Amino acid sequence: MLPMRVALSVLLLASALSACTPAPVSTANSAEAPARATAIAWRQGDVDDAFAEAADSGKPVLLYWGAVWCPPCNQLKAGLFKDPAFIALTGKFVPVYLDGDEEGAQAWGERFGVRGYPTLIVLDPERNEITRVAGGNDAAELTRALTLAAGRRSAVAATLATALATPDRLAAEDWQVLGDYGWEVDANRLAGDRKTAEVLRQLARTAPDAALKRRFALLALATAEKQDAPPTEVRELLQAVLAQPAEVRRNRELLGYAGAQLVKQASAGPATSNTLGQQLLVALERADAERGDRADDALSRALTEVSLARQQQPKGALPAALVDRVKQRAAAADAAATDAHARQATISSAVYALRQVGDDAGAESLLLAELKRSEQPYYYMPELAELAEQRGDTAGALEWLKRAYDGAQGPATRVQWGVLYVEGLLKLAPDDAPRIEQATASLIAELEAQPSGYHQRTRQRFERLAGQLKAWSGKHQGAETLARLQQRMQQACGEQVDGACKNWLS
């Protein structure tokens, strides 16, 4: 995981959306005006047909990669995807929704190098990538980026190659595409053999305007594996961005998630850290006020404040006023989330916030209440398992993990939650080899039912589990168990199209 990964949380549309609204149709008879679409005309998982239509129409494909349980995906559904202006914008594309649990979805995700949910990728009819954006970015920024992409046919890889080799040849629009690009969700796909942070640092040096230079520099810090930038350089960059409200809005998600860490990198001592931290909080509050002063934004700012406070006093108790503020904002965010999509997008953040200030009882109460309301209750059960484990209730923790696996829906999702259950057994019941073997064999049976399922997230989770099983075997004499599981996997791999899973546990 990247050390300062940009959070994926989607916000309300700002003024940029209105700029995307098509001009009114001029007609003598208003009855002849075409009806305005009230929903995005997604092609559900029909990727090949979407490209066929794109070839006929000349429109680019807008591929949306998501999952029903994913919080930022649900924030998209609760807000942006319902906005009439954004719906109208999608008419310039062939829009296709690829749910991670649909047949063949993980193979498509691997082919397009999708890193996480939600991601939106724009491709030309020949399947060349025009751009991609993280679906959790600010809704106005997301809309602006897709509006720009709708009229382009240049592959982003070619744009980047020009920027790196002959930057003076790039037009302003080309630079804008690179600045909008979802570097945090491309799994180093665009950078190729070079590290993403290295590429971003070069772009920061050659970009034609100061705001873009700072944008690339912030992204470089967020994606760097090792944080070695001089404190003075980070401090000057951070102060310059915070002084520009437009840049704060554009980088709102990055500053919210990674801002406290940036303050730490930029600080020469407690006094500097406190001053920079206050500047960050003031800038975030101003940006949030301009986009509606939402309850979830207020909660996000409180979490940034918690991170800053812990940097000032790593071992000290948080100020009581701050703890109360977090609790109040978690309650406000809970109350403001009134429909199913909004709640799926909000509750995890509220629970995380409560746990950050030590209110595990409040977090558990919120989770238990949500189980009765949510259409995906399994999503919250691993968190309940963690709370049970933390108070020493091993049996309760494993029961929550099993319930989550039993209730999970969709092939890729069932593998993901099943792996969590087996990992829980390895950690909390390592001497129960029969139970570990049975649960892992059940997971393999899930895979066997997916002829092309061993890709992307599913493959990554099986590979992670393999490493943990090997470590468990070395400590608990599990060689015979692993041999049987490997044999079972070999049988299951006979049904896989490419047989890529045959090396599992080898």
Side-chain angles (χ1 to χ4, degrees), residues 248-286:
V248 175
R249 289 194 300 273
R250 181 171 191 184
N251 296 288
R252 171 61 179 86
E253 314 319 317
L254 189 157
L255 290 170
Y257 185 84
Q261 182 62 30
L262 288 169
V263 167
K264 182 178 180 180
Q265 285 182 245
S267 298
T272 308
S273 177
N274 185 61
T275 300
L276 274 176
Q278 289 304 311
Q279 290 174 353
L280 171 64
L281 292 171
V282 168
L284 292 177
E285 185 172 10
R286 181 177 57 213

Side-chain angles (χ1 to χ4, degrees), residues 10-22 36-42 62-64 73 75-93 95-96 118-122 133-150:
V10 181
L11 307 165
L12 291 176
L13 287 173
S15 58
L17 268 179
S18 61
C20 304
T21 307
R36 187 164 183 169
T38 58
I40 300 173
W42 295 114
L62 174 61
L63 177 72
Y64 163 54
C73 302
Q75 188 67 38
L76 283 173
K77 295 173 185 177
L80 183 62
F81 286 177
K82 291 182 178 179
D83 187 274
F86 186 79
I87 294 170
L89 172 61
T90 62
K92 298 180 180 180
F93 300 91
V96 55
T119 300
L120 294 101
I121 307 178
V122 179
V133 288
N137 288 338
D138 177 83
E141 293 294 329
L142 180 59
T143 302
R144 182 187 54 73
L146 292 177
T147 301
L148 178 61

Side-chain angles (χ1 to χ4, degrees), residues 22-33:
V25 177
S26 177
T27 174
N29 183 355
S30 60
E32 296 176 1

Side-chain angles (χ1 to χ4, degrees), residues 159-400:
T159 302
L160 177 62
T162 302
L164 296 177
T166 52
D168 293 341
R169 293 179 55 190
L170 279 193
E173 179 182 287
D174 297 321
W175 280 107
Q176 196 64 52
V177 168
L178 293 176
D180 292 336
Y181 186 77
W183 298 92
E184 68 273 31
V185 291
D186 99 322
N188 216 58
R189 186 181 179 90
L190 191 56
D193 293 335
R194 298 177 62 181
K195 292 182 178 179
T196 295
E198 177 187 332
V199 170
L200 287 166
R201 281 192 288 267
Q202 182 172 340
L203 294 176
R205 291 191 294 270
T206 57
D209 68 77
L212 264 177
K213 287 179 181 291
R214 291 190 284 266
R215 165 76 173 167
F216 289 127
L218 282 176
L219 286 167
L221 288 171
T223 56
E225 296 176 3
K226 182 180 180 181
Q227 306 302 329
D228 54 5
T232 302
E233 178 183 316
V234 180
R235 182 163 62 251
E236 291 175 354
L237 169 63
L238 186 57
Q239 288 177 325
V241 171
L242 295 179
Q244 300 294 326
E247 291 185 45
V248 175
R249 289 194 300 273
R250 181 171 191 184
N251 296 288
R252 171 61 179 86
E253 314 319 317
L254 189 157
L255 290 170
Y257 185 84
Q261 182 62 30
L262 288 169
V263 167
K264 182 178 180 180
Q265 285 182 245
S267 298
T272 308
S273 177
N274 185 61
T275 300
L276 274 176
Q278 289 304 311
Q279 290 174 353
L280 171 64
L281 292 171
V282 168
L284 292 177
E285 185 172 10
R286 181 177 57 213
D288 292 345
E290 291 182 2
R291 61 185 193 181
D293 199 20
R294 303 182 348 165
D296 56 350
D297 280 343
L299 180 59
S300 171
R301 291 198 309 276
L303 281 169
T304 299
E305 194 174 355
V306 169
S307 297
L308 290 167
R310 292 203 186 282
Q311 286 178 186
Q312 291 283 342
Q313 292 185 319
K315 297 182 180 180
L318 292 171
L322 176 55
V323 173
D324 289 342
R325 187 155 53 250
V326 170
K327 291 180 180 180
Q328 291 166 7
R329 292 186 182 180
D334 177 20
T338 54
D339 66 51
H341 292 314
R343 294 196 65 76
Q344 190 72 15
T346 298
I347 296 304
S348 292
S349 296
V351 167
Y352 175 77
L354 293 173
R355 296 194 65 186
Q356 285 297 296
V357 297
D359 187 10
D360 284 357
E364 186 168 33
S365 177
L366 185 57
L367 286 166
L368 290 171
E370 199 61 24
L371 293 185
K372 303 172 184 177
R373 304 177 60 168
S374 176
E375 296 178 4
Q376 293 85 34
Y378 58 85
Y379 179 78
Y380 301 104
M381 292 177 184
E383 187 94 28
L384 286 164
E386 188 174 313
L387 286 164
E389 178 189 349
Q390 189 168 296
R391 61 174 176 265
D393 183 6
T394 298
L398 290 175
E399 180 60 25
W400 278 121

